[in-house]
Amino acid sequence: MGKSFLPDWFTIFLYLILVLFGWINIYSASLNDAATGFFDMNQIYGKQALWIGLSLVLIVIMLSLEAKFYYRFSSIIYLVSLLSLLGLFIFGKTISGATSWYSFGSFSLQPSEFAKAATALALAKYLSDIQINIKSFKNQLSAFLIIALPALIIIPQPDPGSALVYLAFFFPLYREGLSGLYLILGFSLLFIFVFTLAVGSLWVSAGVVAIALLILFFNRKKKRKHISRYVVLGGLAILFSLSVNYIFENVFEQRHRDRFNLVLGKEVDSKGIGYNTDQSEIAIGSGGLWGKGWTKGTQTKGGFVPEQHTDYIFSTVGEEWGFVGSATLTLLFVILIIRLIVLAERQKNQFSRIYGYSVAGILFIHFAINVAMVIGIFPTVGIPLPFFSYGGSSLWGFTVLLFIFIRLDAARQEI
């Protein structure tokens, strides 16, 4: 490993706390009368204990490799990742409606969980090239293509939740000098899309016209070419709003439309598409300030929340550990993300800094969307809670993602 190898133990400590707390909640969410012990391999929590044990082996491998390995082979790792995603269309196994898995007997592997780390490496390698200037539109398109390729392969599996995570890569791009106009444009399109679904394109168009008239009034003394920009942007916004319903009805699947309608209050179906979210909210709300106690959650024990050990694991925290437990978990993630940003800023080379920001962005998007989904302010899209939700692929994918950066940080004086 070299004499200078000294990993950031605080980050490793946060990782271990999250993984342990996650297993404790998986144990409670999956405990049943047939259980024979903490490491019963016939139970979900027993299998997760095995994944955790194997992830420790994975950590040793990640930290044993030279830091320069990740830089030199980042392009190859990215290409292998793309091929593994494409191979799903031929050899993939369908689970819960998505062909996102390779099956090896009783063991399944989801390559999209590892594609995030591969994409982060490829993006960091590309942007750290001395000839690349992120302010160049040509280079921006290349960076966008690196990010978009895996997402475009993942979407038709269909797995829009995993594809949505790739928005996280705009954080490192913005840190490296990408114009804030892209973020403004992205949030504007998202706002128009959601607002159109909520109130209709007529009201959105009227709002755009009103805003455009105000801008024209306060900028009436400016040159005509500047005014024409506002007119063009307003026209494009109206056209996009008019196309939203077509996109919603013809591009989104029915289950996705149902989930959006549920969040927007257009459709209340506590026994159908909204059952998971409704039961999750009940479980979290019933926990109160301190919670009902570990393994004492009535909603959890009664199996009212489907997939509670995976995407809805946060509801177990809310019910059994209460507001205090939920706030503590949130604080742990906030501290981890801030720590990663601090580590990224202290890097001596651009490659490690970009990768570090990518890791922080991915963890933030995963945490924010998962919690928002569980408490009912975001549609259910099937995004796991990092280091917490049940699943070997998920745990290993996040472990690889994080510990590559810990290795890069440990060798920041060498690269």
Side-chain angles (χ1 to χ4, degrees):
M1 294 185 185
K3 295 181 180 180
S4 63
F5 180 80
L6 186 62
D8 186 70
W9 291 107
F10 182 62
T11 303
I12 295 176
F13 173 74
L14 290 173
Y15 165 83
L16 293 174
I17 289 295
L18 286 169
V19 170
L20 177 60
F21 193 24
W23 182 85
I24 288 173
N25 284 275
I26 290 171
Y27 176 87
S28 180
S30 59
L31 185 63
N32 57 53
D33 295 335
T36 59
F38 285 116
F39 304 105
D40 184 351
M41 288 299 111
N42 293 317
Q43 303 298 323
I44 286 173
Y45 60 80
K47 294 177 182 177
Q48 185 70 5
L50 175 62
W51 306 143
I52 292 172
L54 292 175
S55 71
L56 298 179
V57 177
L58 199 58
I59 289 171
V60 173
I61 296 173
M62 294 292 101
L63 297 182
S64 298
L65 293 172
E66 289 292 331
K68 292 180 181 179
F69 169 88
Y70 299 109
Y71 177 82
R72 291 172 181 168
F73 293 95
S74 56
S75 298
I76 295 176
I77 294 172
Y78 178 69
L79 289 174
V80 170
S81 176
L82 291 180
L83 290 174
S84 69
L85 291 173
L86 288 170
L88 290 170
F89 294 103
I90 303 174
F91 305 107
K93 178 182 179 181
T94 301
I95 299 177
S96 299
T99 309
S100 305
W101 307 80
Y102 286 111
S103 180
F104 306 95
S106 59
F107 174 72
S108 296
L109 191 69
Q110 188 176 10
S112 62
E113 293 295 344
F114 302 92
K116 289 170 283 194
T119 305
L121 287 171
L123 183 66
K125 175 69 176 297
Y126 176 74
L127 294 179
S128 61
D129 191 307
I130 195 171
Q131 299 178 345
I132 300 301
N133 180 6
I134 193 58
K135 297 187 183 298
S136 164
F137 184 67
K138 179 181 177 181
N139 294 154
Q140 289 173 4
L141 287 179
S142 298
F144 294 157
L145 183 63
I146 291 172
I147 298 169
L149 276 177
L152 291 174
I153 298 173
I154 290 170
I155 288 173
Q157 290 178 0
D159 189 6
S162 295
L164 187 64
V165 174
Y166 284 81
L167 292 175
F169 289 106
F170 278 90
F171 289 104
L173 288 177
Y174 183 71
R175 167 60 182 83
E176 296 306 310
L178 184 70
S179 173
L181 290 175
Y182 285 100
L183 292 178
I184 294 173
L185 177 62
F187 282 117
S188 297
L189 291 175
L190 179 62
F191 177 80
I192 292 172
F193 185 86
V194 174
F195 206 63
T196 299
L197 292 178
V199 301
S201 57
L202 181 62
W203 283 105
V204 172
S205 299
V208 170
V209 171
I211 293 172
L213 289 174
L214 286 173
I215 293 175
L216 290 174
F217 176 76
F218 288 110
N219 294 274
R220 60 187 181 279
K221 294 182 179 180
K222 288 191 175 182
K223 295 180 181 180
R224 185 174 297 178
K225 67 177 182 178
H226 293 298
I227 294 176
S228 64
R229 290 178 184 175
Y230 300 128
V231 174
V232 171
L233 287 174
L236 291 174
I238 291 174
L239 287 175
F240 177 70
S241 178
L242 293 173
S243 69
V244 165
N245 286 329
Y246 177 83
I247 295 172
F248 189 65
E249 294 296 333
N250 295 278
V251 176
F252 284 71
E253 295 186 5
Q254 184 60 48
R255 58 195 176 101
H256 300 139
R257 293 196 293 270
D258 290 339
R259 288 165 182 169
F260 267 98
N261 287 331
L262 185 70
V263 172
L264 293 171
K266 288 186 173 184
E267 197 174 290
V268 179
D269 181 12
S270 59
K271 295 183 179 179
I273 194 68
Y275 179 80
N276 289 25
T277 303
D278 187 60
Q279 294 299 320
S280 174
E281 291 175 1
I282 292 173
I284 294 172
S286 68
L289 180 61
W290 296 102
K292 299 175 180 176
W294 185 46
T295 72
K296 304 298 184 182
T298 53
Q299 292 292 114
T300 298
K301 295 297 98 184
F304 290 102
V305 184
E307 305 299 330
Q308 192 166 7
H309 56 286
T310 55
D311 299 340
Y312 282 83
I313 190 67
F314 188 79
S315 65
T316 303
V317 179
E319 182 180 23
E320 297 189 348
W321 303 88
F323 175 79
V324 173
S326 300
T328 300
L329 177 58
T330 300
L331 184 61
L332 285 172
F333 271 104
V334 170
I335 293 173
L336 175 59
I337 292 168
I338 292 175
R339 181 61 180 172
L340 291 174
I341 293 173
V342 171
L343 295 182
E345 284 296 331
R346 79 177 185 181
Q347 300 307 304
K348 305 296 183 181
N349 64 88
Q350 194 178 15
F351 175 81
S352 298
R353 182 176 70 238
I354 295 168
Y355 184 82
Y357 265 93
S358 298
V359 176
I362 290 169
L363 293 181
F364 170 75
I365 290 291
H366 263 277
F367 174 75
I369 292 180
N370 178 272
V371 174
M373 177 184 76
V374 171
I375 63 178
I377 62 175
F378 196 87
T380 300
V381 290
I383 286 183
L385 190 59
F387 314 118
F388 223 81
S389 294
Y390 168 77
S393 293
S394 173
L395 177 61
W396 291 353
F398 286 119
T399 298
V400 168
L401 179 75
L402 179 63
F403 277 87
I404 286 176
F405 181 54
I406 290 176
R407 183 64 184 97
L408 292 174
D409 174 68
R412 61 187 179 278
Q413 303 291 350
E414 301 174 8
I415 302 179

